[in-house]
Coordinates of all heavy atoms in Angstrom, one line a residue:
A1210 N -57.0 -47.1 30.3 CA -56.6 -46.3 31.4 C -55.0 -46.1 31.4 O -54.5 -45.2 31.9 CB -56.9 -47.1 32.7
C1211 N -54.3 -47.1 30.7 CA -52.9 -46.9 30.7 C -52.4 -46.2 29.4 O -51.3 -45.8 29.4 CB -52.2 -48.4 30.8 SG -52.4 -49.2 32.3
S1212 N -53.3 -45.8 28.6 CA -52.9 -45.2 27.4 C -52.6 -43.7 27.6 O -53.3 -43.0 28.4 CB -54.0 -45.3 26.3 OG -53.8 -44.3 25.3
T1213 N -51.6 -43.1 27.0 CA -51.3 -41.7 27.1 C -52.3 -40.9 26.5 O -52.5 -39.6 26.6 CB -49.9 -41.4 26.6 OG1 -49.8 -41.7 25.3 CG2 -48.8 -42.0 27.4
E1214 N -53.2 -41.5 25.6 CA -54.2 -40.8 25.0 C -55.6 -40.8 25.8 O -56.6 -40.3 25.3 CB -54.5 -41.3 23.6 CG -53.3 -41.3 22.7 CD -52.8 -39.9 22.4 OE1 -53.7 -39.1 22.1 OE2 -51.7 -39.7 22.4
S1215 N -55.6 -41.5 26.8 CA -56.7 -41.7 27.7 C -57.3 -40.4 28.2 O -56.5 -39.4 28.5 CB -56.4 -42.6 28.8 OG -57.5 -42.7 29.7
K1216 N -58.5 -40.3 28.4 CA -59.2 -39.1 29.0 C -59.5 -39.4 30.4 O -60.2 -38.6 31.0 CB -60.5 -38.9 28.2 CG -60.4 -38.6 26.7 CD -59.8 -37.2 26.4 CE -59.8 -37.0 24.9 NZ -58.6 -36.8 24.3
L1217 N -59.0 -40.4 31.0 CA -59.2 -40.8 32.4 C -58.2 -40.2 33.4 O -58.0 -40.8 34.4 CB -59.3 -42.3 32.5 CG -60.3 -43.1 31.6 CD1 -60.1 -44.6 31.8 CD2 -61.7 -42.6 32.0
G1218 N -57.7 -39.1 33.1 CA -56.8 -38.4 34.1 C -55.4 -38.2 33.7 O -54.6 -37.6 34.3
H1219 N -55.0 -38.7 32.5 CA -53.6 -38.6 32.1 C -53.5 -37.2 31.3 O -54.4 -36.8 30.7 CB -53.2 -39.6 31.1 CG -53.3 -41.1 31.6 ND1 -52.7 -41.4 32.8 CD2 -53.9 -42.1 31.2 CE1 -53.0 -42.7 33.1 NE2 -53.7 -43.1 32.1
A1220 N -52.3 -36.7 31.5 CA -52.0 -35.3 30.9 C -51.9 -35.6 29.3 O -51.4 -36.8 28.9 CB -50.7 -34.8 31.4
Q1221 N -52.2 -34.7 28.5 CA -52.2 -34.9 27.1 C -50.8 -34.5 26.7 O -50.3 -35.0 25.7 CB -53.2 -34.0 26.4 CG -54.6 -34.5 26.6 CD -54.9 -35.8 26.1 OE1 -54.5 -36.2 24.9 NE2 -55.5 -36.7 26.9
T1222 N -50.1 -33.6 27.3 CA -48.7 -33.2 26.9 C -47.8 -33.2 28.2 O -48.4 -32.9 29.3 CB -48.7 -31.7 26.3 OG1 -49.3 -30.8 27.3 CG2 -49.3 -31.7 25.0
P1223 N -46.6 -33.6 28.1 CA -45.8 -33.8 29.2 C -45.3 -32.5 30.1 O -45.0 -32.5 31.1 CB -44.7 -34.7 28.7 CG -44.6 -34.3 27.4 CD -45.9 -34.0 26.9
T1224 N -45.3 -31.5 29.3 CA -44.9 -30.2 29.9 C -45.8 -29.0 29.5 O -46.5 -29.2 28.5 CB -43.4 -29.8 29.5 OG1 -43.4 -29.7 28.1 CG2 -42.4 -31.0 29.9
P1225 N -45.7 -27.9 30.2 CA -46.5 -26.8 29.7 C -46.0 -26.4 28.3 O -44.9 -26.5 28.0 CB -46.2 -25.6 30.7 CG -45.6 -26.4 31.9 CD -45.0 -27.7 31.5
T1226 N -47.0 -26.1 27.4 CA -46.7 -25.7 26.1 C -46.4 -24.1 26.0 O -46.1 -23.7 24.9 CB -47.7 -26.0 25.2 OG1 -49.0 -25.5 25.6 CG2 -47.9 -27.6 25.1
A1227 N -46.6 -23.5 27.0 CA -46.4 -22.0 27.1 C -46.0 -21.6 28.5 O -46.2 -22.4 29.4 CB -47.6 -21.2 26.7
P1228 N -45.2 -20.5 28.7 CA -44.9 -20.2 30.1 C -46.2 -20.2 31.0 O -47.2 -19.7 30.7 CB -44.3 -18.8 30.0 CG -43.8 -18.8 28.6 CD -44.9 -19.6 27.8
V1229 N -46.0 -20.7 32.3 CA -47.1 -20.7 33.2 C -46.6 -20.3 34.6 O -45.5 -20.7 35.0 CB -47.7 -22.2 33.3 CG1 -46.7 -23.2 33.7 CG2 -48.9 -22.2 34.2
E1230 N -47.3 -19.4 35.2 CA -46.9 -19.1 36.6 C -47.3 -20.1 37.6 O -48.4 -20.7 37.6 CB -47.6 -17.7 36.9 CG -47.3 -17.2 38.3 CD -47.9 -15.8 38.6 OE1 -47.7 -14.9 37.8 OE2 -48.5 -15.7 39.7
L1231 N -46.3 -20.4 38.4 CA -46.5 -21.6 39.4 C -46.9 -21.0 40.8 O -47.7 -21.5 41.4 CB -45.3 -22.4 39.5 CG -44.8 -23.1 38.3 CD1 -43.6 -23.9 38.5 CD2 -45.9 -24.1 37.7
G1232 N -46.2 -19.9 41.2 CA -46.4 -19.3 42.5 C -45.3 -18.7 43.1 O -44.3 -18.5 42.3
A1233 N -45.4 -18.3 44.3 CA -44.3 -17.5 44.9 C -43.0 -18.6 45.1 O -43.2 -19.7 45.3 CB -44.7 -17.0 46.2
V1234 N -41.8 -18.0 45.0 CA -40.6 -18.7 45.1 C -40.5 -19.4 46.4 O -40.0 -20.6 46.6 CB -39.3 -18.0 44.8 CG1 -39.3 -17.5 43.3 CG2 -39.2 -16.8 45.7
D1235 N -41.1 -18.8 47.5 CA -40.9 -19.4 48.8 C -41.8 -20.6 49.1 O -41.7 -21.2 50.1 CB -41.1 -18.4 49.9 CG -42.4 -17.6 49.9 OD1 -43.3 -18.0 49.1 OD2 -42.6 -16.7 50.7
E1236 N -42.6 -20.9 48.1 CA -43.5 -22.2 48.2 C -42.6 -23.4 48.1 O -43.0 -24.4 48.5 CB -44.6 -22.2 47.2 CG -45.6 -21.1 47.4 CD -46.7 -21.0 46.3 OE1 -46.7 -21.9 45.4 OE2 -47.6 -20.2 46.3
V1237 N -41.4 -23.3 47.4 CA -40.5 -24.4 47.2 C -39.4 -24.3 48.3 O -38.6 -23.3 48.1 CB -39.9 -24.6 45.8 CG1 -39.1 -25.8 45.7 CG2 -41.1 -24.5 44.8
P1238 N -39.4 -25.1 49.3 CA -38.3 -25.0 50.3 C -37.0 -25.3 49.8 O -36.7 -26.2 48.9 CB -38.7 -26.1 51.4 CG -39.6 -27.0 50.7 CD -40.2 -26.3 49.6
V1239 N -35.9 -24.6 50.3 CA -34.6 -24.9 50.0 C -34.2 -26.4 50.4 O -34.5 -26.8 51.5 CB -33.6 -23.9 50.7 CG1 -32.1 -24.4 50.5 CG2 -33.8 -22.5 50.2
G1240 N -33.8 -27.2 49.5 CA -33.5 -28.6 49.7 C -34.7 -29.4 49.5 O -34.6 -30.6 49.7
G1241 N -35.8 -28.9 49.0 CA -37.1 -29.6 48.9 C -37.6 -29.5 47.6 O -37.0 -28.8 46.6
S1242 N -38.8 -30.0 47.4 CA -39.5 -30.0 46.1 C -41.0 -29.7 46.3 O -41.5 -30.0 47.4 CB -39.4 -31.3 45.4 OG -38.0 -31.7 45.2
K1243 N -41.6 -29.3 45.3 CA -43.1 -29.0 45.3 C -43.8 -29.4 44.0 O -43.2 -29.2 42.9 CB -43.4 -27.6 45.6 CG -44.9 -27.2 45.6 CD -45.2 -25.8 46.0 CE -46.7 -25.4 45.8 NZ -47.5 -26.2 46.6
L1244 N -44.9 -30.1 44.1 CA -45.6 -30.6 42.9 C -46.6 -29.6 42.6 O -47.4 -29.2 43.4 CB -46.2 -31.9 43.2 CG -47.2 -32.6 42.2 CD1 -46.4 -32.8 40.9 CD2 -47.9 -33.8 42.8
Y1245 N -46.6 -29.2 41.4 CA -47.7 -28.2 40.8 C -48.4 -29.1 39.8 O -48.3 -29.1 38.7 CB -47.0 -27.1 40.1 CG -46.4 -26.1 41.0 CD1 -44.9 -26.3 41.3 CD2 -47.0 -25.2 41.7 CE1 -44.2 -25.5 42.2 CE2 -46.2 -24.3 42.6 CZ -44.9 -24.4 42.8 OH -44.2 -23.7 43.7
R1246 N -49.3 -30.0 40.4 CA -50.0 -30.9 39.7 C -50.9 -30.4 38.5 O -50.9 -30.9 37.4 CB -51.0 -31.8 40.6 CG -51.6 -33.0 39.9 CD -52.3 -33.9 40.9 NE -53.2 -34.8 40.3 CZ -52.9 -35.9 39.8 NH1 -51.6 -36.3 39.8 NH2 -53.8 -36.7 39.2
E1247 N -51.6 -29.2 38.8 CA -52.4 -28.6 37.8 C -51.6 -28.1 36.5 O -52.1 -28.3 35.4 CB -53.2 -27.5 38.3 CG -54.3 -26.9 37.3 CD -55.1 -25.8 38.1 OE1 -55.5 -26.0 39.2 OE2 -55.2 -24.7 37.4
Q1248 N -50.5 -27.6 36.8 CA -49.5 -27.3 35.8 C -48.7 -28.3 35.2 O -47.8 -28.2 34.3 CB -48.7 -26.1 36.3 CG -49.4 -24.8 36.5 CD -50.0 -24.8 37.9 OE1 -49.9 -25.8 38.7 NE2 -50.7 -23.8 38.3
R1249 N -48.7 -29.5 35.8 CA -48.1 -30.7 35.3 C -46.5 -30.5 35.5 O -45.7 -31.0 34.6 CB -48.3 -31.1 34.0 CG -49.9 -31.4 33.8 CD -50.2 -31.9 32.3 NE -49.6 -31.3 31.3 CZ -50.1 -30.1 30.6 NH1 -51.3 -29.6 31.1 NH2 -49.5 -29.6 29.6
V1250 N -46.0 -29.9 36.6 CA -44.7 -29.6 36.8 C -44.3 -29.9 38.2 O -45.0 -29.7 39.2 CB -44.3 -28.1 36.5 CG1 -42.9 -27.8 36.9 CG2 -44.6 -27.8 35.1
V1251 N -43.0 -30.4 38.5 CA -42.5 -30.6 39.8 C -41.2 -29.7 39.8 O -40.4 -29.7 38.9 CB -42.3 -32.0 40.2 CG1 -41.3 -32.7 39.3 CG2 -41.9 -32.1 41.7
V1252 N -41.1 -28.9 41.0 CA -40.0 -28.0 41.1 C -39.1 -28.3 42.3 O -39.7 -28.5 43.4 CB -40.4 -26.5 41.1 CG1 -39.2 -25.6 41.3 CG2 -41.1 -26.2 39.8
S1253 N -37.9 -28.4 42.2 CA -37.0 -28.4 43.4 C -36.1 -27.3 43.5 O -35.9 -26.5 42.6 CB -36.0 -29.8 43.2 OG -35.1 -29.6 42.2
C1254 N -35.6 -27.0 44.7 CA -34.8 -25.9 45.1 C -33.5 -26.5 45.7 O -33.5 -26.6 47.0 CB -35.5 -24.9 45.9 SG -34.5 -23.4 46.4
P1255 N -32.4 -26.7 44.9 CA -31.2 -27.4 45.6 C -30.4 -26.4 46.5 O -29.9 -26.8 47.4 CB -30.4 -27.7 44.4 CG -31.0 -27.0 43.2 CD -32.4 -26.6 43.5
A1256 N -30.5 -25.1 46.2 CA -29.9 -24.1 47.1 C -30.8 -22.7 46.9 O -31.5 -22.6 45.8 CB -28.5 -23.8 46.6
A1257 N -30.6 -21.8 47.9 CA -31.4 -20.6 47.9 C -31.2 -19.9 46.4 O -30.1 -19.8 46.0 CB -31.0 -19.7 48.9
G1258 N -32.4 -19.6 45.8 CA -32.4 -19.0 44.5 C -32.1 -19.8 43.3 O -32.1 -19.3 42.2
Q1259 N -31.9 -21.2 43.5 CA -31.6 -22.1 42.4 C -32.9 -23.0 42.3 O -33.3 -23.5 43.3 CB -30.4 -22.9 42.6 CG -29.2 -22.0 42.6 CD -28.0 -23.0 42.9 OE1 -28.0 -24.2 42.9 NE2 -26.8 -22.3 43.1
Y1260 N -33.5 -23.1 41.1 CA -34.7 -24.1 40.8 C -34.4 -24.9 39.7 O -33.8 -24.5 38.6 CB -35.8 -23.1 40.7 CG -36.2 -22.2 41.8 CD1 -35.6 -21.0 41.9 CD2 -36.8 -22.7 43.0 CE1 -35.8 -20.2 43.0 CE2 -37.0 -21.9 44.1 CZ -36.5 -20.7 44.1 OH -36.7 -20.0 45.3
K1261 N -34.9 -26.1 39.8 CA -35.0 -27.1 38.7 C -36.4 -27.5 38.5 O -37.0 -27.8 39.6 CB -34.1 -28.3 39.1 CG -32.6 -28.0 39.0 CD -31.8 -29.4 39.3 CE -30.4 -29.2 39.2 NZ -29.7 -30.4 39.5
A1262 N -36.8 -27.7 37.3 CA -38.2 -28.2 37.2 C -38.2 -29.3 36.2 O -37.3 -29.4 35.3 CB -39.0 -27.0 36.6
F1263 N -39.2 -30.3 36.4 CA -39.4 -31.4 35.5 C -40.8 -31.6 35.2 O -41.7 -31.2 36.1 CB -38.8 -32.6 36.2 CG -37.4 -32.5 36.6 CD1 -36.9 -32.1 37.7 CD2 -36.4 -32.9 35.5 CE1 -35.6 -31.9 38.0 CE2 -35.0 -32.7 35.9 CZ -34.7 -32.3 37.1
S1264 N -41.1 -32.2 34.1 CA -42.5 -32.7 33.9 C -43.0 -33.6 35.0 O -42.2 -34.4 35.5 CB -42.6 -33.5 32.5 OG -43.8 -34.1 32.4

Side-chain angles (χ1 to χ4, degrees):
C1211 291
S1212 166
T1213 56
E1214 299 300 318
S1215 171
K1216 303 284 190 246
L1217 301 176
H1219 300 309
Q1221 293 297 314
T1222 55
T1224 61
T1226 56
V1229 61
E1230 185 178 302
L1231 301 176
V1234 294
D1235 61 3
E1236 291 179 5
V1237 183
V1239 174
S1242 302
K1243 178 173 172 63
L1244 174 64
Y1245 294 91
R1246 188 170 163 84
E1247 186 175 312
Q1248 293 86 0
R1249 301 183 317 270
V1250 175
V1251 62
V1252 178
S1253 68
C1254 180
Q1259 297 178 9
Y1260 300 93
K1261 291 182 176 181
F1263 300 93
S1264 168

